[in-house]
Amino acid sequence: MTLEIIGISVLWLFLFGYVIVASIDFGAGFFSAYSDFAKKKHILHKIIQRYLSPVWEVTNVFLVFFFVGIVGFFPKTAYYYGTILLVPASIAIVLLAIRGSYYAFHTYGKTERNWYLLAYGLTGLFIPASLSIVLTISEGGFVEKSGETLTLLYKELFVSPLTWSIVLLSITSVLYISATFLTYYANEAGDMKARELLRKYALSWSGPTILSALLIIYQLRHHNPEHYNNMFNVAWMFVVSFVFFVITIYLLWKKKRYGWAFVSLVLQYAFAFYAYGISHYPYLLYPYLTIYDGFTNKTMAIALIIAFIAGFLLLVPSLYLLLKLFLFNKKYVKGQL
Amino acid sequence: MWEYDPVMFSRLLTELTLTFHIIFATIGVGVPLMIAIAQWVGIRKNDEHYILLARRWTRGFVITVAVGVVTGTAIGLQLSLLWPNFMQLAGQVISLPLFMETFAFFFEAIFLGIYLYTWDRFENQKKHLLLLIPVAIGSSASAMFITMVNAFMNTPQGFELKDGVITNIEPLAAMFNPATPTKVAHVLTTAYMTSAFILASIAAWHLLRGNRHIYHKKALYLTVKTAFIFSFASALVGDLSGKFLAEYQPEKLAAAEWHFETSTHAPLVMFGTLDENNNVKNAIEIPYALSILAHNHPGAEVKGLNEFPKDEIPPLYIHYLFDLMVTIGILLTIVSAIYWLGKQLKWKWIMSKPFLALLVAAGPLSMLAIELGWYLAEVGRQPWILRGYMKTAEAATSSGNVDTMLVVFSILYLILGIASVTVLINMFRKNPVEKELAERSLEQGGVS
């Protein structure tokens, strides 16, 4: 395995971590806001708050980790993506800023405002949409390069069906992942009312999720045939992913083993996510930037990997402690602590 | 009409984001240490007042952390969005400390979450103190790593640049560059100092308003004493920073001091004005002080601005930033020293209204000095972004819309600023110390 592959695999792992934890977070925010308007707040509010409170800060770090890491391992991405993403990334920053700070203002400062709750819920859906634009751009065709100048073609991006398929997948996934996790969490808390409501949400979002995923594969066939063909080399991974999808739905439907239902969902996304990533290889930005011409020097790559291992040895026990104290602590989950 | 200039707008936007972020970042570095100290004093003296102090500070701290996190994310991304050419080049040398900063921040975030939600879970207060230590270490470590990045931009080393291609990279040499020791030390000591003064301002404010509760008196004594120690340390490090500048960035020191001609026995110029021929007017001159600041010897030679190429000297207004920063620093050291001495000698007037008003002003003044110091450090290395290697104008994005983004972010920071202040004030107004102490039925500390 070359250093390039190690680098991109590590980063892809962090991005995947962010996709999962952020989806739970964004979806929870949306459900929390929605339940208020649908007069179901008394059912959901407590369970969501209890989960989110100790972890909201950690969620953000996964994203920071990814973008610091990618500039470290692949400094040229700073030049390519930095130049073209000014507007979309700034929008995402503003939304993240509003969402993150207002969560804290609300939770710790006890501000009770309806318009705020609405904004909080909606940003939870807009952020994944604005971030997923990067995935669309990476497929190529939306960036014009003349000499040293790079321009993002907003119009092409806006009218492309691929853009909207990816946005659709990001939103439905957020709701699906979040609802499945919270179903498990509510079940652990012994909160049957919340569990039933969330289970219903999870099941109803599963269909749109898988449909939008299929839609993307169909779009890629026309948009980026090279990527589309590469996908067939890892077709088995998509099949495995689909099997896990079926397992999750089965378990949710049969109302049993919610923990395994969530694990299976994570595996479903992991396989699809890695299959997508592998088939995108070797491009970071099709067709301008590959992981080879954008890679940092060898000394720095080794230093980064050492730092990464050392950091991980520090983080894993700490994360374990966090999970043990809150997520897997029956008393805390039930609200007895 | 304004002409669209991405370099200028990129500079303005970066300046705006950092100015706003630094307020919250400074609190984020210093306050965890203060919380840990209060918790420790509370355990050692077996005094619930200090434990409550730690908890109330933490509650306010969470709000500032949230704003610090989101603005930190903003500047992290803006580095690549606004300075893509710089990140492409420097990213190859400096990504190690950037990466480690995120690790330190991650570490802090995990333990802050645990500390916040286990407040009443453990009987033993020592366990809560043990949770605070990684929070304080994590926040100071992230300040250290990110300051290393900034230090590298001031004195780049650990690589070779030939025809735009970087070779012979030594990540550790880049991290431990000549600017690192003084910069890291100055950032940490001033952050601790500023946080202590801000917390002192809150206590002094309550006492000034006529609330004579023993809780506020204890808070004031603890914070001002700590602030004195750290402001003294900041002054020492500040002196070392001056010597560093004289050796490695003489043009920054010379511009900050309006020292045009190279000379021995150089005087320190304070305030004053410049006429069109760069003659200093109306200034206070302290003989030999600049030579002492630069080389620890009154007869030492200090390099003057005239020796540098015209297009490589920073703007001369940084002189005022330097003077104001130093004046505030010295003033606050003296004020905190007087308070501490007054406590030992039982002077009554240190609790008088005028002196308390001075202590109320100390927090905001200290924060102002932080901002001025950063402006001095950053504007002082203009026109370079990577001193000696890359000019700021070559580093900026070529992208359109930077002006629009400047407007968008200005609005964002305005809203965040107003909201965080409102939330913080409401938080503590609705839940005064007396109420909380009564709830914890620990009023035996008594009202003096």
Side-chain angles (χ1 to χ4, degrees), chain A residues 122-176:
Chain A
L122 287 179
T123 49
L125 296 185
F126 286 139
I127 295 168
S130 65
L131 290 176
S132 62
I133 289 287
V134 183
L135 285 182
T136 320
I137 293 171
S138 77
E139 290 299 335
F142 303 109
V143 179
E144 197 174 65
K145 192 180 182 193
S146 56
E148 285 299 296
T149 334
L150 296 160
T151 331
L152 185 61
L153 307 169
Y154 288 98
K155 198 181 145 247
E156 278 79 353
L157 190 63
F158 196 75
V159 297
S160 161
L162 180 67
T163 309
W164 296 105
S165 311
I166 291 182
V167 166
L168 193 68
L169 178 67
S170 70
I171 292 175
T172 52
S173 297
V174 159
L175 297 171
Y176 175 53

Side-chain angles (χ1 to χ4, degrees), chain A residues 53 57-58 60 65 72 75-76 78-79 82 86-87 90 93 101-102 104-105 108 297 299-300 311 315 325-326 329 337, chain B residues 62-63 65-66 69 73-74 80-81 84-85 88 92-93 95 103 106 110 114 117 121 169 400-401 405 415-416 419:
Chain A
S53 301
E57 224 194 336
V58 176
N60 217 29
F65 229 111
K76 270 202 175 153
Y79 173 69
L86 179 70
V87 174
S90 294
I93 298 173
S101 52
Y102 277 69
F105 295 166
Y108 306 101
N297 59 86
T299 326
M300 194 41 113
L315 283 186
L325 283 171
F326 300 105
N329 188 307
L337 270 178
Chain B
V62 182
I63 301 295
V65 165
V69 168
T73 311
S80 299
L81 296 173
N85 297 308
Q88 180 178 223
Q92 297 178 60
V93 195
S95 45
F103 267 120
F106 211 150
I110 290 172
I114 296 177
Y117 288 90
R121 214 148 136 180
I169 293 177
N401 307 321
M405 293 304 121
I415 295 174
L416 285 184

Side-chain angles (χ1 to χ4, degrees), chain B residues 238-248 250 253-254 257 259 263 266-268 288-303 322:
Chain B
D239 179 59
L240 291 176
S241 306
K243 293 176 175 43
F244 156 79
L245 285 182
E247 191 172 344
Y248 291 95
L253 184 70
E257 282 303 330
H259 185 65
S263 65
L268 191 84
Y288 311 126
L290 183 58
S291 288
I292 295 172
L293 175 72
H295 302 289
N296 244 353
H297 185 268
E301 188 182 82
V302 182
K303 221 172 170 187
F322 185 63

Side-chain angles (χ1 to χ4, degrees), chain B residues 60-346:
Chain B
F61 178 62
V62 182
I63 301 295
T64 59
V65 165
V67 182
V69 168
V70 297
T71 50
T73 311
I75 191 65
L77 272 165
Q78 279 176 356
L79 271 182
S80 299
L81 296 173
L82 298 173
W83 311 99
N85 297 308
F86 164 69
M87 285 304 276
Q88 180 178 223
L89 181 78
Q92 297 178 60
V93 195
I94 210 71
S95 45
L96 186 63
L98 268 176
F99 204 58
M100 288 163 87
E101 195 250 348
T102 326
F103 267 120
F105 173 55
F106 211 150
F107 189 59
E108 180 200 346
I110 290 172
F111 280 94
L112 184 64
I114 296 177
Y115 173 70
L116 279 175
Y117 288 90
T118 52
W119 259 354
D120 295 308
R121 214 148 136 180
F122 310 122
E123 277 297 309
N124 190 348
Q125 285 294 336
K126 279 184 187 155
K127 284 195 180 168
H128 296 128
L129 180 63
L130 283 180
L131 288 171
L132 278 167
I133 293 170
V135 178
I137 291 177
S139 58
S140 293
S142 62
M144 179 180 81
F145 289 127
I146 205 67
T147 309
M148 283 178 171
V149 176
N150 181 270
F152 170 81
M153 291 160 84
N154 278 280
T155 49
Q157 66 169 34
F159 66 99
E160 275 171 46
L161 189 65
K162 276 178 196 151
D163 309 319
V165 179
I166 280 193
T167 50
N168 285 339
I169 293 177
E170 299 167 69
L172 290 178
M175 278 169 77
F176 296 95
N177 59 73
T180 296
T182 44
K183 267 208 183 258
V184 169
H186 203 53
V187 163
L188 288 179
T189 49
T190 53
Y192 300 147
M193 164 191 166
T194 304
S195 303
F197 273 122
I198 284 174
L199 298 171
S201 292
I202 298 170
W205 170 254
H206 284 289
L207 291 165
L208 185 67
R209 291 278 302 263
N211 184 338
R212 295 272 147 179
H213 200 291
I214 184 85
Y215 170 91
H216 297 304
K217 289 184 182 166
K218 286 177 182 172
L220 189 69
Y221 184 61
L222 178 70
T223 50
V224 179
K225 198 169 89 178
T226 322
F228 168 66
I229 295 168
F230 286 123
S231 36
F232 191 71
S234 306
L236 283 182
V237 181
D239 179 59
L240 291 176
S241 306
K243 293 176 175 43
F244 156 79
L245 285 182
E247 191 172 344
Y248 291 95
Q249 284 182 307
E251 78 279 13
K252 192 191 267 184
L253 184 70
E257 282 303 330
W258 287 352
H259 185 65
F260 294 97
E261 298 289 340
T262 301
S263 65
T264 56
H265 305 90
L268 191 84
V269 177
M270 286 195 67
F271 299 101
T273 50
L274 276 184
D275 66 12
E276 59 273 25
N277 298 323
N278 282 344
N279 288 316
V280 184
K281 298 263 167 74
N282 311 317
I284 311 163
E285 280 195 14
I286 309 172
Y288 311 126
L290 183 58
S291 288
I292 295 172
L293 175 72
H295 302 289
N296 244 353
H297 185 268
E301 188 182 82
V302 182
K303 221 172 170 187
L305 263 185
N306 293 346
E307 305 225 357
F308 299 93
K310 280 263 178 299
D311 60 341
E312 286 182 17
I313 51 178
L316 292 175
Y317 73 80
I318 62 168
H319 173 68
Y320 295 111
L321 309 178
F322 185 63
D323 282 359
L324 270 172
M325 174 188 80
V326 172
T327 311
I328 292 172
I330 290 172
L331 178 80
L332 291 184
T333 313
I334 294 170
V335 167
S336 54
I338 290 174
Y339 172 87
W340 188 64
L341 200 65
K343 268 285 177 186
Q344 307 303 312
L345 301 176
K346 306 219 181 318

